Amino acid sequence: MNQQKLPNATAVLVLGIVSIVSCCCYGIPGLITGIIGLVLYKKDNALYQQNPTLYSDYNNLNTGRILSIIGIVLSVLYILYLIFAIAFIGFDALSDPELMQERLRDLQN
């Protein structure tokens, strides 16, 4: 029997990798690409579960899902870090190193 590749398995894998790489760009691109990767995973997984013998790229699909989940978690953690930094240090101190050092000293004492 001729097996064909799942239509979005490579896209899910690439989106998972991009999600991890771009999580440090303020978290938003990593979050978006990770969510898109999970949506595409869900579609292809349903297709694979209907007829597993017809498709061959399930390992790439599963790896892409894991990478997308890791990218989403890292993005959310980075967004929470940014919220924490803005709340305790202040937005103006993020662009002024001297003011940031002063605020960090204040937080330590």
Side-chain angles (χ1 to χ4, degrees):
M1 183 173 219
N2 233 355
Q3 286 189 335
Q4 55 187 350
K5 292 185 176 192
L6 288 165
N8 296 321
T10 305
V12 172
L13 185 64
V14 169
L15 285 169
I17 293 169
V18 169
S19 174
I20 291 175
V21 170
S22 64
C23 72
C24 293
C25 299
Y26 297 108
I28 303 298
L31 193 63
I32 292 171
T33 55
I35 290 172
I36 292 171
L38 287 181
V39 169
L40 291 177
Y41 165 80
K42 184 178 178 185
K43 290 179 183 179
D44 271 10
N45 189 37
L47 192 63
Y48 179 79
Q49 295 302 327
Q50 288 176 355
N51 195 355
T53 59
L54 190 60
Y55 300 105
S56 67
D57 235 6
Y58 189 70
N59 288 335
N60 283 348
L61 186 68
N62 222 10
T63 304
R65 177 184 68 116
I66 293 168
L67 292 176
S68 293
I69 291 170
I70 292 170
I72 289 172
V73 169
L74 289 176
S75 295
V76 167
L77 288 175
Y78 193 76
I79 289 171
L80 290 175
Y81 166 73
L82 287 176
I83 291 171
F84 173 78
I86 291 171
F88 284 102
I89 297 174
F91 192 74
D92 54 342
L94 293 176
S95 61
D96 186 7
E98 292 174 4
L99 184 58
M100 181 181 282
Q101 287 178 358
E102 180 182 326
R103 297 251 174 105
L104 288 174
R105 273 189 242 117
D106 290 342
L107 283 175
Q108 289 177 351
N109 294 332

